[in-house]
Amino acid sequence: MREASTAATARPVWQRPVVQFVVVGLIVAALLAWITGVLGERLAREQAMEDARATTELIANTVIEPALSSGLLTTEASDLDQFDRLVRSRVLGGDIMRVKVWSTDGRVLYSDEPRLIGQTFALGDDQQQVLADGGSNADLSDLSRSENEFDSQLGHVLEVYTRVKAPNGEALLFELYLSDDNLQARADELFSLFRPLTVGGILVFLIIATPLVWVVSRRADAAAADRERYLVMATEASDAERRRVARDLHDGVVQDLAGTSFALSGLARDVGGGSTSATSQQLSSELERLASAVRTSLLALRSLLVEIYPPQLDGHGLGAALQDLVASAEQGGLDVTLRVDGATSMSEQSTALVWRTAQECVRNATRHGDPSTLDISVNVVGSPPVATLVVSDNGRGFDPNGAVPPDSFGLRGLRDLAREADGTLTVDSTPGRGTSVTLEVPAT
Amino acid sequence: MNTTTAKRAGTIALVGIALVGVAVPAVAGGGVEREGNCSARSDWKLKASPDDGRIEVRGIVDSDVGGQRWRWKMLHNGSVSARGRATTESGSGEFRVRRLMVNVPGDDRIGWRAKNRRTGEVCRGNLTF
């Protein structure tokens, strides 16, 4: 008999609940890591933008605006020198990579890149809006623009600009370029806040739950194995009991009835053979009728014995046993077709399963299906050989997915027995269109 | 011309030569250097050289006397670009000032002024970069 542990290890690795649980958990953890990474980067970018705006406004108000001079508006050399020294000593450095001061007409009044000073570029809508309304704006720099022709070495930078006022009240645009390189570091920093709550939580859950799932899975496997073992034991006990009952009936009642039948037939011949009296003839006729009734009962009892347990249930006797099985149904008017091919190679175990399945199907068909035809076929083909039993009828059928009738345990039990024997049992039925049951089981 | 007039003319010429300075050959790397005498015993030097899109300007006054206190100015196209105070070093008797100026389009006229706060000696130098 198969043990639970054997059944569990025979299952492919990827079908084991523990493996599926761990794999799904790791996938979820990876998904969460990716999502939190994306969210972290987005949050970091937004925060970096906000920080950049705040930094730019602070520098504009505290450093740049107080240092603006009227000479800077006309790009006086000495004013540029002083402003340049201020910018290089107090503004540039760290994340700040470029400084520009624009006039409203797009002229670069100052840049720490001196070649830009005095050049004119078209201001964008956002820059015009900041010049008109104040506030600040930040965006990733487009280094392909002509104003950035000397900035290709800067890499990814954030452009942040805000409005400043010259001593004469003229609005100027103060622009900073900030390094974008620390965005990923900031995203990692934010991600590290989420990591313990998401990925870490999932991993901890996996670590805690995996042993529990393993234990539950083991118990479920053991319970399934026990259930199958009990089913086999019950079937074997039932077979033993059937054999005993059949043997007792065959050796007792059947022999008695046969003797009684012969005795009655002989007595009828004796009574009617030598006498022509009406009484004798009537008595002989009555005795013959009684003998016939006893033979009918004897035939019915033998069919019952076959149904209880066939006398020779192996590959060679399967055809005869199935014929005996359907004999009573044929007598009842059912048109039965029986085909058995290659059954001689079947083992005793597979033969018993095929016969028991056929028995259950015939019983269900005659009891519930009210069919007019019944087809039974047994084929053994393939290497290794597989025995295929198909029992089909044209009865009223049923819905296999519908409510399970209380007396349908037979098919369910057979399905378990088929699985226990590494086989399959499939039921194909439609209300009004009959039923077809197919059993496939290793023949040897 | 009498003797007094000749002496006065000679003095003016010497002071003029001293204040204007003497041009020296351009230094390596595209720089320009000038030097000259101040109004008394001190000497001055003015150097300008390119520095990453800017002009590195170095002004030097050498009085051979340590501990003298001076005021100085650097001019860029006629306006004061930088100013400050300095004291000559005890060993060399000179002080040095280094500043970066923005290299604006066209010629950059750079001036170097220094005045001894005690003696009133004046140093004046100019160059065009």
Side-chain angles (χ1 to χ4, degrees), chain B residues 44-69:
Chain B
W44 59 265
K45 278 186 182 176
L46 180 60
K47 301 176 182 177
S49 57
D51 185 341
D52 192 23
R54 293 178 173 78
I55 306 169
E56 182 189 39
V57 180
R58 281 174 289 181
I60 303 168
V61 169
D62 185 2
S63 66
D64 281 335
V65 179
Q68 289 185 337
R69 292 187 294 174

PDB file of all heavy atoms in Angstrom, chain B residues 44-69:
ATOM      1  N   TRP B  44      56.475  97.680  -8.682  1.00  0.00           N
ATOM      2  CA  TRP B  44      55.199  96.957  -8.837  1.00  0.00           C
ATOM      3  C   TRP B  44      55.271  96.018 -10.023  1.00  0.00           C
ATOM      4  O   TRP B  44      56.082  96.196 -10.925  1.00  0.00           O
ATOM      5  CB  TRP B  44      54.008  97.919  -9.005  1.00  0.00           C
ATOM      6  CG  TRP B  44      54.156  98.834 -10.225  1.00  0.00           C
ATOM      7  CD1 TRP B  44      54.653 100.087 -10.243  1.00  0.00           C
ATOM      8  CD2 TRP B  44      53.779  98.519 -11.556  1.00  0.00           C
ATOM      9  NE1 TRP B  44      54.642 100.622 -11.499  1.00  0.00           N
ATOM     10  CE2 TRP B  44      54.092  99.658 -12.329  1.00  0.00           C
ATOM     11  CE3 TRP B  44      53.220  97.409 -12.183  1.00  0.00           C
ATOM     12  CZ2 TRP B  44      53.859  99.711 -13.710  1.00  0.00           C
ATOM     13  CZ3 TRP B  44      52.983  97.478 -13.539  1.00  0.00           C
ATOM     14  CH2 TRP B  44      53.302  98.612 -14.287  1.00  0.00           C
ATOM     15  N   LYS B  45      54.437  94.998  -9.984  1.00  0.00           N
ATOM     16  CA  LYS B  45      54.281  94.080 -11.114  1.00  0.00           C
ATOM     17  C   LYS B  45      52.795  93.826 -11.301  1.00  0.00           C
ATOM     18  O   LYS B  45      52.023  93.766 -10.341  1.00  0.00           O
ATOM     19  CB  LYS B  45      54.965  92.738 -10.857  1.00  0.00           C
ATOM     20  CG  LYS B  45      56.450  92.742 -11.121  1.00  0.00           C
ATOM     21  CD  LYS B  45      57.004  91.325 -10.979  1.00  0.00           C
ATOM     22  CE  LYS B  45      58.524  91.345 -11.202  1.00  0.00           C
ATOM     23  NZ  LYS B  45      59.096  90.002 -10.987  1.00  0.00           N
ATOM     24  N   LEU B  46      52.399  93.645 -12.539  1.00  0.00           N
ATOM     25  CA  LEU B  46      51.001  93.322 -12.861  1.00  0.00           C
ATOM     26  C   LEU B  46      51.022  92.230 -13.918  1.00  0.00           C
ATOM     27  O   LEU B  46      51.624  92.382 -14.987  1.00  0.00           O
ATOM     28  CB  LEU B  46      50.270  94.564 -13.385  1.00  0.00           C
ATOM     29  CG  LEU B  46      48.810  94.363 -13.753  1.00  0.00           C
ATOM     30  CD1 LEU B  46      47.986  93.884 -12.556  1.00  0.00           C
ATOM     31  CD2 LEU B  46      48.214  95.672 -14.305  1.00  0.00           C
ATOM     32  N   LYS B  47      50.399  91.104 -13.604  1.00  0.00           N
ATOM     33  CA  LYS B  47      50.372  89.954 -14.517  1.00  0.00           C
ATOM     34  C   LYS B  47      48.922  89.569 -14.788  1.00  0.00           C
ATOM     35  O   LYS B  47      48.081  89.588 -13.876  1.00  0.00           O
ATOM     36  CB  LYS B  47      51.084  88.744 -13.917  1.00  0.00           C
ATOM     37  CG  LYS B  47      52.544  88.993 -13.565  1.00  0.00           C
ATOM     38  CD  LYS B  47      53.134  87.762 -12.881  1.00  0.00           C
ATOM     39  CE  LYS B  47      54.576  88.010 -12.480  1.00  0.00           C
ATOM     40  NZ  LYS B  47      55.154  86.859 -11.764  1.00  0.00           N
ATOM     41  N   ALA B  48      48.627  89.194 -16.025  1.00  0.00           N
ATOM     42  CA  ALA B  48      47.288  88.708 -16.400  1.00  0.00           C
ATOM     43  C   ALA B  48      47.451  87.484 -17.289  1.00  0.00           C
ATOM     44  O   ALA B  48      48.269  87.489 -18.220  1.00  0.00           O
ATOM     45  CB  ALA B  48      46.485  89.781 -17.124  1.00  0.00           C
ATOM     46  N   SER B  49      46.707  86.458 -16.980  1.00  0.00           N
ATOM     47  CA  SER B  49      46.782  85.228 -17.781  1.00  0.00           C
ATOM     48  C   SER B  49      45.392  84.579 -17.825  1.00  0.00           C
ATOM     49  O   SER B  49      44.584  84.759 -16.905  1.00  0.00           O
ATOM     50  CB  SER B  49      47.808  84.266 -17.181  1.00  0.00           C
ATOM     51  OG  SER B  49      47.485  83.979 -15.837  1.00  0.00           O
ATOM     52  N   PRO B  50      45.094  83.825 -18.902  1.00  0.00           N
ATOM     53  CA  PRO B  50      43.770  83.191 -19.001  1.00  0.00           C
ATOM     54  C   PRO B  50      43.618  82.077 -17.973  1.00  0.00           C
ATOM     55  O   PRO B  50      44.572  81.359 -17.672  1.00  0.00           O
ATOM     56  CB  PRO B  50      43.737  82.651 -20.431  1.00  0.00           C
ATOM     57  CG  PRO B  50      45.162  82.468 -20.810  1.00  0.00           C
ATOM     58  CD  PRO B  50      45.927  83.542 -20.086  1.00  0.00           C
ATOM     59  N   ASP B  51      42.386  81.938 -17.483  1.00  0.00           N
ATOM     60  CA  ASP B  51      42.106  80.915 -16.479  1.00  0.00           C
ATOM     61  C   ASP B  51      40.663  80.447 -16.644  1.00  0.00           C
ATOM     62  O   ASP B  51      39.749  81.047 -16.066  1.00  0.00           O
ATOM     63  CB  ASP B  51      42.336  81.477 -15.058  1.00  0.00           C
ATOM     64  CG  ASP B  51      42.176  80.404 -13.990  1.00  0.00           C
ATOM     65  OD1 ASP B  51      41.555  79.358 -14.269  1.00  0.00           O
ATOM     66  OD2 ASP B  51      42.668  80.609 -12.866  1.00  0.00           O
ATOM     67  N   ASP B  52      40.460  79.410 -17.452  1.00  0.00           N
ATOM     68  CA  ASP B  52      39.149  78.774 -17.596  1.00  0.00           C
ATOM     69  C   ASP B  52      38.051  79.799 -17.908  1.00  0.00           C
ATOM     70  O   ASP B  52      37.037  79.884 -17.214  1.00  0.00           O
ATOM     71  CB  ASP B  52      38.799  78.010 -16.305  1.00  0.00           C
ATOM     72  CG  ASP B  52      37.601  77.100 -16.502  1.00  0.00           C
ATOM     73  OD1 ASP B  52      37.312  76.726 -17.658  1.00  0.00           O
ATOM     74  OD2 ASP B  52      36.952  76.769 -15.496  1.00  0.00           O
ATOM     75  N   GLY B  53      38.293  80.571 -18.946  1.00  0.00           N
ATOM     76  CA  GLY B  53      37.292  81.554 -19.358  1.00  0.00           C
ATOM     77  C   GLY B  53      37.365  82.853 -18.597  1.00  0.00           C
ATOM     78  O   GLY B  53      36.591  83.777 -18.862  1.00  0.00           O
ATOM     79  N   ARG B  54      38.243  82.924 -17.654  1.00  0.00           N
ATOM     80  CA  ARG B  54      38.416  84.150 -16.879  1.00  0.00           C
ATOM     81  C   ARG B  54      39.862  84.644 -17.036  1.00  0.00           C
ATOM     82  O   ARG B  54      40.681  84.024 -17.707  1.00  0.00           O
ATOM     83  CB  ARG B  54      38.088  83.901 -15.400  1.00  0.00           C
ATOM     84  CG  ARG B  54      36.607  83.591 -15.183  1.00  0.00           C
ATOM     85  CD  ARG B  54      36.305  83.299 -13.731  1.00  0.00           C
ATOM     86  NE  ARG B  54      34.880  83.170 -13.531  1.00  0.00           N
ATOM     87  CZ  ARG B  54      34.168  82.093 -13.850  1.00  0.00           C
ATOM     88  NH1 ARG B  54      34.778  81.034 -14.354  1.00  0.00           N
ATOM     89  NH2 ARG B  54      32.870  82.066 -13.660  1.00  0.00           N
ATOM     90  N   ILE B  55      40.133  85.761 -16.368  1.00  0.00           N
ATOM     91  CA  ILE B  55      41.488  86.305 -16.390  1.00  0.00           C
ATOM     92  C   ILE B  55      42.023  86.251 -14.966  1.00  0.00           C
ATOM     93  O   ILE B  55      41.398  86.796 -14.041  1.00  0.00           O
ATOM     94  CB  ILE B  55      41.513  87.763 -16.888  1.00  0.00           C
ATOM     95  CG1 ILE B  55      40.821  87.857 -18.253  1.00  0.00           C
ATOM     96  CG2 ILE B  55      42.932  88.286 -16.957  1.00  0.00           C
ATOM     97  CD1 ILE B  55      40.570  89.299 -18.685  1.00  0.00           C
ATOM     98  N   GLU B  56      43.128  85.579 -14.830  1.00  0.00           N
ATOM     99  CA  GLU B  56      43.771  85.581 -13.517  1.00  0.00           C
ATOM    100  C   GLU B  56      44.693  86.785 -13.461  1.00  0.00           C
ATOM    101  O   GLU B  56      45.629  86.914 -14.274  1.00  0.00           O
ATOM    102  CB  GLU B  56      44.566  84.297 -13.304  1.00  0.00           C
ATOM    103  CG  GLU B  56      45.218  84.253 -11.920  1.00  0.00           C
ATOM    104  CD  GLU B  56      46.181  83.092 -11.788  1.00  0.00           C
ATOM    105  OE1 GLU B  56      46.900  82.794 -12.767  1.00  0.00           O
ATOM    106  OE2 GLU B  56      46.238  82.487 -10.712  1.00  0.00           O
ATOM    107  N   VAL B  57      44.446  87.687 -12.522  1.00  0.00           N
ATOM    108  CA  VAL B  57      45.218  88.933 -12.401  1.00  0.00           C
ATOM    109  C   VAL B  57      46.006  88.866 -11.086  1.00  0.00           C
ATOM    110  O   VAL B  57      45.422  88.568 -10.036  1.00  0.00           O
ATOM    111  CB  VAL B  57      44.295  90.165 -12.412  1.00  0.00           C
ATOM    112  CG1 VAL B  57      45.122  91.440 -12.281  1.00  0.00           C
ATOM    113  CG2 VAL B  57      43.464  90.191 -13.685  1.00  0.00           C
ATOM    114  N   ARG B  58      47.284  89.123 -11.209  1.00  0.00           N
ATOM    115  CA  ARG B  58      48.130  89.140 -10.007  1.00  0.00           C
ATOM    116  C   ARG B  58      48.856  90.487  -9.924  1.00  0.00           C
ATOM    117  O   ARG B  58      49.535  90.899 -10.862  1.00  0.00           O
ATOM    118  CB  ARG B  58      49.145  88.007 -10.039  1.00  0.00           C
ATOM    119  CG  ARG B  58      48.547  86.674  -9.649  1.00  0.00           C
ATOM    120  CD  ARG B  58      49.530  85.566  -9.816  1.00  0.00           C
ATOM    121  NE  ARG B  58      49.778  85.287 -11.218  1.00  0.00           N
ATOM    122  CZ  ARG B  58      50.589  84.333 -11.659  1.00  0.00           C
ATOM    123  NH1 ARG B  58      51.252  83.592 -10.792  1.00  0.00           N
ATOM    124  NH2 ARG B  58      50.772  84.141 -12.937  1.00  0.00           N
ATOM    125  N   GLY B  59      48.663  91.194  -8.826  1.00  0.00           N
ATOM    126  CA  GLY B  59      49.337  92.456  -8.586  1.00  0.00           C
ATOM    127  C   GLY B  59      50.354  92.311  -7.461  1.00  0.00           C
ATOM    128  O   GLY B  59      50.050  91.671  -6.448  1.00  0.00           O
ATOM    129  N   ILE B  60      51.545  92.872  -7.665  1.00  0.00           N
ATOM    130  CA  ILE B  60      52.619  92.717  -6.674  1.00  0.00           C
ATOM    131  C   ILE B  60      53.240  94.097  -6.408  1.00  0.00           C
ATOM    132  O   ILE B  60      53.450  94.888  -7.337  1.00  0.00           O
ATOM    133  CB  ILE B  60      53.726  91.775  -7.198  1.00  0.00           C
ATOM    134  CG1 ILE B  60      53.120  90.415  -7.560  1.00  0.00           C
ATOM    135  CG2 ILE B  60      54.855  91.614  -6.160  1.00  0.00           C
ATOM    136  CD1 ILE B  60      54.062  89.527  -8.345  1.00  0.00           C
ATOM    137  N   VAL B  61      53.514  94.373  -5.156  1.00  0.00           N
ATOM    138  CA  VAL B  61      54.277  95.571  -4.770  1.00  0.00           C
ATOM    139  C   VAL B  61      55.445  95.092  -3.908  1.00  0.00           C
ATOM    140  O   VAL B  61      55.253  94.335  -2.960  1.00  0.00           O
ATOM    141  CB  VAL B  61      53.409  96.567  -3.977  1.00  0.00           C
ATOM    142  CG1 VAL B  61      54.294  97.668  -3.368  1.00  0.00           C
ATOM    143  CG2 VAL B  61      52.342  97.168  -4.880  1.00  0.00           C
ATOM    144  N   ASP B  62      56.628  95.535  -4.287  1.00  0.00           N
ATOM    145  CA  ASP B  62      57.833  95.118  -3.557  1.00  0.00           C
ATOM    146  C   ASP B  62      58.550  96.375  -3.054  1.00  0.00           C
ATOM    147  O   ASP B  62      59.097  97.143  -3.832  1.00  0.00           O
ATOM    148  CB  ASP B  62      58.745  94.321  -4.502  1.00  0.00           C
ATOM    149  CG  ASP B  62      59.968  93.761  -3.765  1.00  0.00           C
ATOM    150  OD1 ASP B  62      60.064  93.980  -2.534  1.00  0.00           O
ATOM    151  OD2 ASP B  62      60.776  93.085  -4.414  1.00  0.00           O
ATOM    152  N   SER B  63      58.509  96.541  -1.733  1.00  0.00           N
ATOM    153  CA  SER B  63      59.140  97.740  -1.150  1.00  0.00           C
ATOM    154  C   SER B  63      60.447  97.407  -0.454  1.00  0.00           C
ATOM    155  O   SER B  63      61.117  98.298   0.068  1.00  0.00           O
ATOM    156  CB  SER B  63      58.172  98.381  -0.139  1.00  0.00           C
ATOM    157  OG  SER B  63      57.984  97.514   0.978  1.00  0.00           O
ATOM    158  N   ASP B  64      60.770  96.124  -0.386  1.00  0.00           N
ATOM    159  CA  ASP B  64      61.963  95.646   0.332  1.00  0.00           C
ATOM    160  C   ASP B  64      61.894  95.908   1.828  1.00  0.00           C
ATOM    161  O   ASP B  64      62.874  95.683   2.546  1.00  0.00           O
ATOM    162  CB  ASP B  64      63.249  96.310  -0.214  1.00  0.00           C
ATOM    163  CG  ASP B  64      63.702  95.651  -1.506  1.00  0.00           C
ATOM    164  OD1 ASP B  64      63.350  94.452  -1.685  1.00  0.00           O
ATOM    165  OD2 ASP B  64      64.352  96.307  -2.323  1.00  0.00           O
ATOM    166  N   VAL B  65      60.780  96.356   2.286  1.00  0.00           N
ATOM    167  CA  VAL B  65      60.632  96.630   3.725  1.00  0.00           C
ATOM    168  C   VAL B  65      59.392  95.882   4.213  1.00  0.00           C
ATOM    169  O   VAL B  65      58.287  96.102   3.687  1.00  0.00           O
ATOM    170  CB  VAL B  65      60.469  98.138   4.003  1.00  0.00           C
ATOM    171  CG1 VAL B  65      60.289  98.371   5.520  1.00  0.00           C
ATOM    172  CG2 VAL B  65      61.678  98.907   3.500  1.00  0.00           C
ATOM    173  N   GLY B  66      59.585  95.012   5.169  1.00  0.00           N
ATOM    174  CA  GLY B  66      58.451  94.253   5.677  1.00  0.00           C
ATOM    175  C   GLY B  66      57.595  95.073   6.617  1.00  0.00           C
ATOM    176  O   GLY B  66      58.052  96.041   7.222  1.00  0.00           O
ATOM    177  N   GLY B  67      56.355  94.731   6.723  1.00  0.00           N
ATOM    178  CA  GLY B  67      55.453  95.345   7.685  1.00  0.00           C
ATOM    179  C   GLY B  67      54.808  96.624   7.215  1.00  0.00           C
ATOM    180  O   GLY B  67      54.058  97.239   7.985  1.00  0.00           O
ATOM    181  N   GLN B  68      55.055  97.041   5.993  1.00  0.00           N
ATOM    182  CA  GLN B  68      54.393  98.255   5.494  1.00  0.00           C
ATOM    183  C   GLN B  68      52.937  97.947   5.156  1.00  0.00           C
ATOM    184  O   GLN B  68      52.633  96.911   4.594  1.00  0.00           O
ATOM    185  CB  GLN B  68      55.109  98.784   4.250  1.00  0.00           C
ATOM    186  CG  GLN B  68      56.454  99.376   4.532  1.00  0.00           C
ATOM    187  CD  GLN B  68      57.064  99.983   3.278  1.00  0.00           C
ATOM    188  OE1 GLN B  68      56.714  99.623   2.161  1.00  0.00           O
ATOM    189  NE2 GLN B  68      58.004 100.899   3.484  1.00  0.00           N
ATOM    190  N   ARG B  69      52.081  98.889   5.471  1.00  0.00           N
ATOM    191  CA  ARG B  69      50.660  98.668   5.199  1.00  0.00           C
ATOM    192  C   ARG B  69      50.259  99.494   3.980  1.00  0.00           C
ATOM    193  O   ARG B  69      50.566 100.674   3.875  1.00  0.00           O
ATOM    194  CB  ARG B  69      49.827  99.054   6.417  1.00  0.00           C
ATOM    195  CG  ARG B  69      50.080  98.096   7.580  1.00  0.00           C
ATOM    196  CD  ARG B  69      49.171  98.337   8.736  1.00  0.00           C
ATOM    197  NE  ARG B  69      49.423  99.632   9.344  1.00  0.00           N
ATOM    198  CZ  ARG B  69      48.676 100.139  10.313  1.00  0.00           C
ATOM    199  NH1 ARG B  69      47.652  99.458  10.787  1.00  0.00           N
ATOM    200  NH2 ARG B  69      48.960 101.329  10.816  1.00  0.00           N
TER     201      ARG B  69
END
